[in-house]
Amino acid sequence: MSNFYSGQNGRLLINGTAAGKVTNWSFSSSMSPLSTTSLEDTDQTFMNGLRSLTGNASLYYYDTGGVSNTNSASTLIDKLIKTRTTADDAGKAAQAENVTLRLQVKEGNIVKQIEIDVLLTNATMNMAVGEVLSAQISFQANGAPTELSL
Amino acid sequence: MAFPSTAPSTRSVNYGDYPVKSVQMMDGFETRILYGSKRVGVELQLAYNNIADAIAEQFLSDYDTQRGTFGTFPLPSSTTDGMEQGLANQIPGVSDTQWRYAGPPTVNSVYPGVSSVTVTLLAVLV
């Protein structure tokens, strides 16, 4: 029997903690082939080159009701955006932090996932009339995945 | 170590010129004197893209064998691979021409174990 998966099987973990209110995640892995074509050839030949992996995720921004708001969208945004180290020096702030993401397909106790150490490359927040405030996060993997069981 | 017989990825040929001297006369006319019957200054630029480091090393070893730009050597036929014979024949042949390095080979590392090499050679009449 074939099992198919949908959004309700998707889960995103940020540094090992399940993120809340995730509406989608996606990733794309690509490889740039190196041409080995020489002048005598009539057809292009290639060898494997460098791989890269990028992706993005969308999360709703919400209030947990406590003193410190720790929703997952703000967790990721805080990893990328940093305030000034000193108030009178506009050019200096802490470096962005890398994050370990696990993009999971979960059904019962069975979890298929890819775990990657990522650099957050973009964070966008959308506030619009008639829409729930959300954040879109883009990331670039730092090296190969640390775990892959998809 | 001989010049590697790998086929190049790109090739650029400067076919040179005959040795001509131009003399400007006082009356404004130009006189041109032909000093030889063979083209000189023929230059060959060869690029070997994404080759194994071991082959790239052969270029550097040959460069050392030739003592850099000092020594002359014949070129393997693979340097004209992919070229119609008629056009290839316009490049000075092995019977009357040797080649020397115009400068050191340039090696660009592009991937673990993979490099690209560029060499420029000058024809030397013998």
Side-chain angles (χ1 to χ4, degrees):
Chain A
M1 188 181 125
S2 301
N3 279 336
F4 296 94
Y5 303 100
S6 63
Q8 61 187 327
N9 299 112
R11 193 164 72 159
L12 173 67
L13 274 69
I14 304 167
N15 289 336
T17 303
K21 313 304 179 191
V22 179
T23 57
N24 85 285
W25 58 251
S26 67
F27 70 89
S28 171
S29 180
S30 61
M31 189 267 290
S32 302
L34 299 174
S35 173
T36 54
T37 312
S38 60
L39 287 171
E40 61 189 340
D41 295 334
T42 58
D43 291 76
Q44 287 194 319
T45 57
F46 296 93
M47 63 179 293
N48 289 322
L50 294 171
R51 284 178 297 237
S52 68
L53 191 150
T54 59
N56 55 68
S58 297
L59 307 91
Y60 285 130
Y61 186 91
Y62 58 97
D63 195 334
T64 52
V67 176
S68 61
N69 187 14
T70 56
N71 72 70
S72 302
S74 65
T75 299
L76 289 174
I77 290 168
D78 290 349
K79 301 289 185 189
L80 178 61
I81 304 172
K82 301 292 182 183
T83 54
R84 296 181 187 187
T85 307
T86 53
D88 57 351
D89 190 348
K92 290 191 175 57
Q95 286 196 343
E97 299 174 54
N98 284 15
V99 177
T100 299
L101 295 182
R102 277 190 225 159
L103 312 180
Q104 294 185 331
V105 179
K106 186 174 184 293
E107 185 176 42
N109 293 327
I110 300 172
V111 176
K112 300 177 180 186
Q113 66 177 359
I114 179 171
E115 181 182 281
I116 38 182
D117 178 42
V118 303
L119 296 79
L120 301 176
T121 55
N122 185 271
T124 305
M125 289 192 74
N126 297 319
M127 175 70 93
V129 174
E131 291 183 12
V132 177
L133 179 60
S134 64
Q136 285 74 46
I137 306 293
S138 299
F139 55 84
Q140 167 80 55
N142 179 27
T146 47
E147 187 183 331
L148 180 65
S149 60
L150 289 174
Chain B
M1 176 63 70
F3 191 86
S5 58
T6 306
S9 306
T10 64
R11 174 182 49 235
S12 175
V13 185
N14 178 344
Y15 282 90
D17 192 9
Y18 289 86
V20 172
K21 187 167 185 180
S22 175
V23 181
Q24 191 75 42
M25 299 301 175
M26 293 290 287
D27 57 5
F29 286 96
E30 180 190 42
T31 299
R32 299 168 66 81
I33 305 166
L34 181 64
Y35 281 94
S37 59
K38 291 182 177 176
R39 274 183 280 124
V40 295
V42 178
E43 187 179 276
L44 198 54
Q45 289 183 323
L46 303 170
Y48 300 82
N49 295 335
N50 307 321
I51 58 175
D53 279 354
I55 299 175
E57 187 184 347
Q58 291 176 17
F59 285 97
L60 300 178
S61 296
D62 184 57
Y63 184 70
D64 279 336
T65 302
Q66 306 302 338
R67 298 291 185 266
T69 59
F70 177 74
T72 60
F73 53 91
L75 277 184
S77 60
S78 59
T79 52
T80 56
D81 272 351
M83 193 179 244
E84 289 278 338
Q85 196 57 47
L87 184 58
N89 288 342
Q90 296 297 318
I91 300 176
V94 292
S95 60
D96 57 353
T97 308
Q98 295 271 298
W99 296 83
R100 69 175 179 83
Y101 289 96
T106 303
V107 180
N108 292 319
S109 296
V110 294
Y111 190 73
V114 179
S115 296
S116 293
V117 176
T118 305
V119 295
T120 302
L121 304 171
L122 296 172
V124 180
L125 293 173
V126 291

